[in-house]
Amino acid sequence: MKIIQFYKNETQLIKKAANQHREAQHQLYNQFAPKMLSVCRQYVRDIHFAEEVMLGGFLKVFLNLKNFKFEGSFEGWIRRIMVNESISFLRKEKQVFFTEEITNYNEESWNNINTELEVEQIQELIDSLPEGYRMVFVLYAVEGYKHSEIAKTLGVSESTSKSQLFKARKLLQQKVNQQNKISNGAIEF
């Protein structure tokens, strides 16, 4: 099968898609959908709902494509829309609570988790975190947001963001240690 390149660069493709050119929109969707589904899945546990969120996100992408200013990464622009859509979905589905607890912690102590777990197992452990912990953890550790950005995005204080991240890391460490014991056959009864 021979692949025919319709557009020489991404900029041209984006401009065509912004002018309602369906084939260009289809190409953008095909190019970015797998990555964006992965982004949505980080926040939304159920794959079917994650797909629904992604589709809603792409609708927003195409409706607002003319607002993209070609400053920075197009993928980053789409990714931010998907993150916001995922958070909006979670807020609509159920209320997400964040504890406003200030905890003294040493950030360095939770940065290195030693594990032999597979990616799917790690994703399951992240999925098992309470919603607030998980959202802050993913925004910080996966998306690379700063606490000030997380606070603004979620409508919480920076100290709440830091506290939620600390608690998420601590809980993940416990779960990883428990999983490692099980994997190594050292199950305690």
Side-chain angles (χ1 to χ4, degrees):
M1 178 165 99
K2 187 175 181 181
I3 297 175
I4 301 170
Q5 185 176 0
F6 289 104
Y7 305 100
K8 293 183 179 170
N9 63 41
E10 189 176 81
T11 302
Q12 186 181 4
L13 182 63
I14 294 166
K15 287 179 180 177
K16 284 274 197 187
N19 289 321
Q20 305 300 316
H21 190 271
R22 297 294 178 226
E23 181 58 35
Q25 289 175 338
H26 183 73
Q27 280 188 302
L28 283 176
Y29 176 83
N30 285 340
Q31 181 179 346
F32 292 103
K35 285 182 185 176
M36 295 308 121
L37 179 58
S38 177
V39 169
C40 295
R41 175 58 191 83
Q42 288 290 325
Y43 297 90
V44 181
R45 289 183 177 120
D46 185 300
I47 187 69
H48 301 294
F49 289 128
E51 287 173 348
E52 186 178 313
V53 169
M54 181 198 67
L55 291 173
F58 269 106
L59 178 61
K60 281 195 176 176
V61 165
F62 293 130
L63 290 174
N64 294 293
L65 208 47
K66 289 189 182 224
N67 297 330
F68 180 66
K69 295 176 177 42
F70 297 94
E71 298 168 358
S73 158
F74 181 64
E75 182 177 332
W77 183 76
I78 294 176
R79 187 179 196 98
R80 186 168 286 276
I81 291 171
M82 296 299 165
V83 168
N84 289 336
E85 280 295 296
S86 298
I87 291 169
S88 293
F89 171 81
L90 291 172
R91 283 187 175 144
K92 281 184 226 170
E93 285 298 303
K94 57 186 164 193
Q95 292 196 357
V96 180
F97 295 100
F98 298 95
T99 57
E100 188 76 38
E101 183 179 313
I102 298 174
T103 307
N104 292 330
Y105 64 93
N106 178 359
E107 194 167 323
E108 315 267 316
S109 66
W110 301 103
N111 282 341
N112 297 318
I113 296 176
N114 296 321
T115 183
E116 309 243 340
L117 299 176
E118 297 293 324
V119 173
E120 294 83 17
Q121 292 171 306
I122 294 170
Q123 182 62 55
E124 287 174 10
L125 293 177
I126 292 170
D127 285 346
S128 72
L129 292 172
E131 291 292 336
Y133 292 10
R134 188 166 49 87
M135 285 194 330
V136 172
F137 179 82
V138 172
L139 285 167
Y140 185 87
V142 178
E143 301 296 333
Y145 283 37
K146 294 180 175 87
H147 286 293
S148 59
E149 296 171 307
I150 295 169
K152 184 179 177 185
T153 300
L154 298 178
V156 298
S157 69
E158 282 188 51
S159 62
T160 298
S161 175
K162 289 176 182 178
S163 175
Q164 296 292 297
L165 177 64
F166 174 75
K167 291 174 185 178
R169 284 178 168 169
K170 187 175 180 178
L171 189 54
L172 271 178
Q173 181 69 58
Q174 291 170 352
K175 289 175 181 276
V176 166
N177 289 341
Q178 183 180 16
Q179 195 67 35
N180 283 340
K181 284 181 182 177
I182 292 170
S183 296
N184 294 329
I187 301 173
E188 296 179 14
F189 293 99

